[in-house]
Amino acid sequence: AQSVTQPDIHITVSEGASLELRCNYSYGATPYLFWYVQSPGQGLQLLLKYFSGDTLVQGIKGFEAEFKRSQSSFNLRKPSVHWSDAAEYFCAVAFTSGTYKYIFGTGTRLKVLA
Amino acid sequence: DAGITQSPRHKVTETGTPVTLRCHQTENHRYMYWYRQDPGHGLRLIHYSYGVKDTDKGEVSDGYSVSRSKTEDFLLTLESATSSQTSVYFCAISAPSGGTLRTNTGELFFGEGSRLTVL
């Protein structure tokens, strides 16, 4: 079955510390991969995406993510977190066999300590 | 921003009443989606459409139906609303990457959401 797992529900980091948010998926082929961010009371904003090619992708706001086929993972990273990064982060996977169906993980809520 | 409009943006209704949410796009995209967002569950796919009159079920389709009679409109109907359907509903559109349209990027573009409360 197709699924997306974000194992960390909450993460707390200090401002200036590094960040890694985990995402794993279950699918027989290589899907399209995305990270979205949602600030409180706001809509969803795309941070970055991976379709093919270089497995390390750069996004907005200093975020990057690495696709690891052997681990079925697409983890999001940032070297130095800012207080404004506090938000909820969603990994999403587009399963493209026949039609485009996008499935989201349950989200990771990031808290940043001053 | 992609041209996606959801209506109504807020609705309070009573258990057992029918409710229809509308999603309207101006991007001429083939794919349209309805998600619901609930704390602890993220966004869950209800139904999606891959063309006019072409729809399919998502993860949580029970209690919901959809219709797409025109490319630009995707309707979500709760035939008899229940309290468990209290949620924030997001419409989204996408188009495979490539082509000349600015929004043919393979990503999802979201509407602003519709908050539904079922009493």
Side-chain angles (χ1 to χ4, degrees):
Chain A
Q2 303 159 343
S3 65
V4 181
T5 302
Q6 291 181 248
D8 304 305
I9 299 173
H10 297 279
I11 283 186
T12 300
V13 300
S14 297
E15 191 170 20
S18 63
L19 173 70
E20 182 170 25
L21 303 183
R22 297 181 290 165
C23 175
N24 293 92
Y25 66 89
S26 174
Y27 187 46
T30 299
Y32 295 168
L33 300 160
F34 308 83
W35 276 98
Y36 284 83
V37 61
Q38 186 180 37
S39 297
Q42 302 297 310
L44 290 105
Q45 180 182 25
L46 180 71
L47 286 175
L48 45 77
K49 62 188 178 186
Y50 172 80
F51 289 168
S52 63
D54 192 345
T55 57
L56 184 64
V57 294
Q58 303 297 320
I60 62 172
K61 304 184 180 186
F63 286 92
E64 66 178 27
E66 185 173 13
F67 169 55
K68 293 186 177 180
R69 185 189 310 274
S70 62
Q71 299 177 17
S72 297
S73 69
F74 189 56
N75 293 350
L76 182 70
R77 301 194 294 247
K78 187 170 185 178
S80 179
V81 170
H82 188 263
W83 64 266
S84 61
D85 293 325
E88 191 157 22
Y89 292 80
F90 294 96
C91 178
V93 175
F95 301 104
T96 58
S97 56
T99 62
Y100 281 65
K101 185 165 78 170
Y102 297 74
I103 302 296
F104 283 76
T106 51
T108 298
R109 185 170 295 279
L110 174 65
K111 182 177 180 179
V112 180
L113 301 176
Chain B
D1 292 339
I4 309 169
T5 305
Q6 292 185 226
S7 59
R9 295 288 314 282
H10 300 272
K11 186 172 182 65
V12 179
T13 191
E14 294 190 348
T15 298
T17 60
V19 175
T20 295
L21 305 180
R22 178 180 183 243
C23 179
H24 179 78
Q25 62 147 329
T26 58
E27 303 291 332
N28 200 36
H29 278 356
R30 176 182 175 191
Y31 293 92
M32 299 186 75
Y33 307 82
W34 277 109
Y35 291 89
R36 60 176 290 175
Q37 184 175 25
D38 305 286
H41 293 278
L43 284 92
R44 292 180 289 177
L45 181 63
I46 304 171
H47 282 280
Y48 66 106
S49 170
Y50 46 95
V52 173
K53 296 191 186 330
D54 292 323
T55 65
D56 203 353
K57 296 179 180 180
E59 307 163 274
V60 289
S61 59
D62 287 349
Y64 301 95
S65 62
V66 290
S67 65
R68 192 169 179 198
S69 58
K70 299 185 289 185
T71 298
E72 58 266 34
D73 289 326
F74 192 34
L75 304 181
L76 177 70
T77 298
L78 292 66
E79 300 290 347
S80 177
T82 67
S83 58
S84 65
Q85 293 176 311
T86 293
S87 186
V88 179
Y89 291 86
F90 284 97
C91 174
I93 65 174
S94 78
S97 60
T100 57
L101 290 179
R102 175 183 58 83
T103 52
N104 280 12
T105 59
E107 69 193 74
L108 280 173
F109 293 92
F110 285 90
E112 294 180 319
S114 296
R115 183 175 296 275
L116 175 67
T117 302
V118 184
L119 301 176

